[in-house]
Amino acid sequence: MTYAGVGGLRIWYEEHGTGKPLVLLHGGYGSTETFAPVRQALAARRRLIAADLRGHGRTGGLDRPLRYESMADDVAGLLRHLGLLHADVLGYSLGGAVALRTAIQHPDLVRRLVLVSTPFRRGGWYPETLAAMSAHDERAAERMRGTPPYERYARVAPRPQDWPLLWARSGELLRRDYDWSAEVAALPMPVLLVFADADEIPVSHAAEFFGLLGGGRRDAGGDGAGRPASRLAVLPGLTHYDVVASPALPAAVLPFLTRPARAPG
C-alpha cells in the first residue's frame, strides 16, 4: 500500500493476492475500499492492484479538470510504473468508464476488460440518473456531508477540505457528452459486461453494448462455436449500488478471466 509517481501525480495503490495482475478501479466518490466485500474472493485467484482514481481517496489531482481520458492515462502510467506489460482491468461505474478508455487508448496494456455498470455513451444512463448527475456541484457536496462516502474521504484524502471541489469537478465531467460506440466495436481484447438487473443503466443498453462487441447476433450453436469472445452478465436481484459488493460479481468475473483466450469475433 503506497504511492506511485505518475506524470507529476501521486497515485495511491494497494496490492492483494498473487497471480496474474487484475487492476480494480472504483466508482465516483469512492476509493479502493469499494472492493473490500469481494477482495478476498478475487485475491484468491489474482494479484489485485486497486488504485484510487485522480481526485479520489488518497490520490490528489483536483488542481485540474477530471477527464476519463486523462484518468485512463493515469492507469496506463501506473501499469508502466509497476513494470507490467499488460494486465486485466476491472472498472465499476466511473471506474468502468476509465477502464474502457484505458482499453481504447492503451490496448496493448489491457489483456481482458471487465466493465461493471458502465455505459458506452452518456445517454446510456436512465434520464433521471442523468438529471441527478448534472446536479453534482458544491451545494450537493454540502448535502452529502456526514454520509459514508464523505466520512471515508475525510479520513483518507490528502486534502479533506477538497470535498466540494471533488463534486464540482465530477459534475463538470458528468455533464460532458460522449459516445464511444465506434471505439468499442474496434476493441481487440475480450470484454465482460456486468450489469445489475435493476441498474441505473437499462438492460436494453447492456444488450446494445454487447452487440457492439459481437454478441447477440446469432445462435452460438450446439458446440458454442458461434459465440463471441466477449460476454454479458446481468446479475439478478441487484442494483447499481450493491452489484460491486455481491458474491455474484467474482463468480461471474473469475471464469471469464481464467478461460482460454481467443480473439474477439
Side-chain angles (χ1 to χ4, degrees):
M1 302 182 185
T2 187
Y3 284 98
V6 176
L9 182 69
R10 296 178 72 238
I11 299 176
W12 171 267
Y13 73 97
E14 52 192 69
E15 299 194 45
H16 306 270
T18 59
K20 293 180 179 179
L22 171 62
V23 177
L24 302 179
L25 304 176
H26 60 79
Y29 311 106
S31 64
T32 58
E33 285 84 356
T34 296
F35 296 100
V38 297
R39 183 186 296 146
Q40 184 176 357
L42 293 172
R45 303 287 296 275
R46 312 300 270 194
R47 171 191 172 190
L48 304 183
I49 302 166
D52 283 346
L53 296 171
R54 180 186 292 264
H56 292 72
R58 299 163 182 83
T59 301
L62 288 174
D63 56 320
R64 67 196 75 175
L66 295 179
R67 296 290 183 266
Y68 299 118
E69 294 80 2
S70 58
M71 288 191 281
D73 288 340
D74 294 341
V75 174
L78 174 61
L79 291 177
R80 294 187 176 110
H81 172 88
L82 295 173
L84 296 174
L85 297 178
H86 51 73
D88 299 325
V89 180
L90 183 158
Y92 160 66
S93 195
L94 170 69
V98 176
L100 178 52
R101 289 305 315 179
T102 303
I104 290 169
Q105 295 166 211
H106 306 277
D108 57 310
L109 292 177
V110 181
R111 191 186 76 102
R112 299 189 189 189
L113 178 65
V114 180
L115 303 176
V116 183
S117 295
T118 306
F120 65 85
R121 63 169 177 259
R122 185 175 184 271
W125 301 96
Y126 279 115
E128 57 269 30
T129 300
L130 285 176
M133 288 177 173
S134 296
H136 287 203
D137 58 16
E138 295 92 336
R139 290 169 296 179
E142 293 304 316
R143 293 193 294 270
M144 292 298 291
R145 289 186 185 273
T147 64
Y150 169 77
E151 296 296 338
R152 181 172 56 246
Y153 185 86
R155 186 175 67 252
V156 304
R159 287 176 48 85
Q161 64 269 33
D162 282 349
W163 177 249
L165 180 58
L166 173 59
W167 278 75
R169 294 292 198 201
S170 297
E172 294 168 2
L173 174 67
L174 297 173
R175 287 187 289 271
R176 290 174 64 89
D177 196 22
Y178 63 90
D179 185 338
W180 301 327
S181 54
E183 293 156 301
V184 165
L187 287 173
M189 73 288 296
V191 181
L192 171 63
L193 303 175
V194 182
F195 295 89
D197 64 350
D199 215 309
E200 290 190 331
I201 300 160
V203 174
S204 58
H205 184 83
E208 184 180 358
F209 203 157
F210 191 41
L212 292 174
L213 298 167
R217 298 179 181 177
R218 60 184 180 274
D219 174 27
D223 60 357
R227 68 186 174 201
S230 294
R231 299 285 186 266
L232 170 64
V234 179
L235 304 183
L238 298 171
T239 72
H240 187 81
Y241 299 96
D242 59 13
V243 64
V244 74
S246 171
L249 181 60
V253 168
L254 288 171
F256 170 76
L257 295 180
T258 56
R259 68 179 175 81
R262 66 182 181 84

